[in-house]
Amino acid sequence: MEYIKATEKDLDQIVMLVQETIKTIYPKYYPKEVVDFFCELHCKDNIAKDISDGSVGIIKDNDTMVGTGCYKDNHITRVYVKPEYQGQGYGSYIMECLENKISLEYASVYLDASLPASHLYETRGYQTIKHDRWNVENGVILVYEVMEKTFHRNGK
């Protein structure tokens, strides 16, 4: 298992992976308006910009892309694993790689947790620091947790 930096040639596969995961998993937790919001947020243009910034990574199982992660400064902004590969440690591995990279420059890391992923983050030592909300369409409100993890250096 290796987490590598994504390149422009990975764009279409990453977009497909993210969109497929959102459309498969999120309807179990959220109304259509929120699912649509996440699909727009993680659209091809935004993913392309993140790849261009050098902040996107991918993980493959043999030759199949099974997951992706993204960060900006000390903010993890996108972690998705194909539905059929979830629960096999890929998400945890992506998180470990992102955290290791971020910990080189920052004392803590934070993320906006979706309902399907908040349990994973809690098991990795993240704590909710606030609840936030975002008005999507048709009066629907997305409520989510902002979670943070402090890095402990030199056994401190």
Side-chain angles (χ1 to χ4, degrees):
M1 194 172 351
E2 187 181 12
Y3 184 74
I4 57 172
K5 186 181 279 193
T7 65
E8 203 174 292
K9 70 176 176 53
D10 299 312
L11 176 61
D12 288 337
Q13 271 191 292
I14 294 170
V15 171
M16 235 178 359
L17 183 154
V18 170
Q19 294 290 320
E20 170 195 343
T21 304
I22 290 170
K23 291 173 182 174
T24 302
I25 302 298
Y26 283 28
K28 298 173 186 176
Y29 297 86
Y30 298 115
K32 178 189 181 313
E33 291 86 353
V34 173
V35 175
D36 292 345
F37 166 80
F38 279 109
C39 286
E40 279 184 43
L41 178 65
H42 299 296
C43 67
K44 186 172 187 172
D45 287 345
N46 289 343
I47 294 171
K49 181 186 179 315
D50 292 337
I51 290 172
S52 163
D53 292 344
S55 61
V56 179
I58 57 172
I59 189 169
K60 291 186 175 186
D61 182 356
N62 295 316
D63 288 333
T64 303
M65 184 184 300
V66 299
T68 184
C70 182
Y71 71 98
K72 171 120 176 83
D73 300 320
N74 68 328
H75 184 199
I76 294 176
T77 59
R78 184 185 308 115
V79 174
Y80 285 96
V81 173
K82 279 187 173 188
E84 63 268 30
Y85 289 89
Q86 291 181 7
Q88 299 177 39
Y90 293 107
S92 292
Y93 186 72
I94 292 169
M95 289 296 296
E96 182 180 330
C97 293
L98 291 170
E99 290 168 3
N100 288 342
K101 177 91 171 149
I102 292 167
S103 72
L104 298 173
E105 295 184 49
Y106 296 93
S108 66
V109 59
Y110 74 100
L111 48 78
D112 303 321
S114 66
L115 287 174
S118 58
H119 179 72
L120 167 67
Y121 303 141
E122 283 179 354
T123 63
R124 296 197 55 79
Y126 286 78
Q127 295 183 337
T128 299
I129 55 172
K130 74 175 180 173
H131 296 279
D132 217 337
R133 54 191 292 141
W134 188 264
N135 293 324
V136 290
E137 59 185 341
N138 299 328
V140 174
I141 300 169
L142 166 62
V143 177
Y144 60 95
E145 298 174 357
V146 178
M147 301 181 83
E148 182 179 50
K149 178 179 180 176
T150 301
F151 298 120
H152 300 284
R153 293 188 169 92
N154 302 326
K156 294 180 183 174

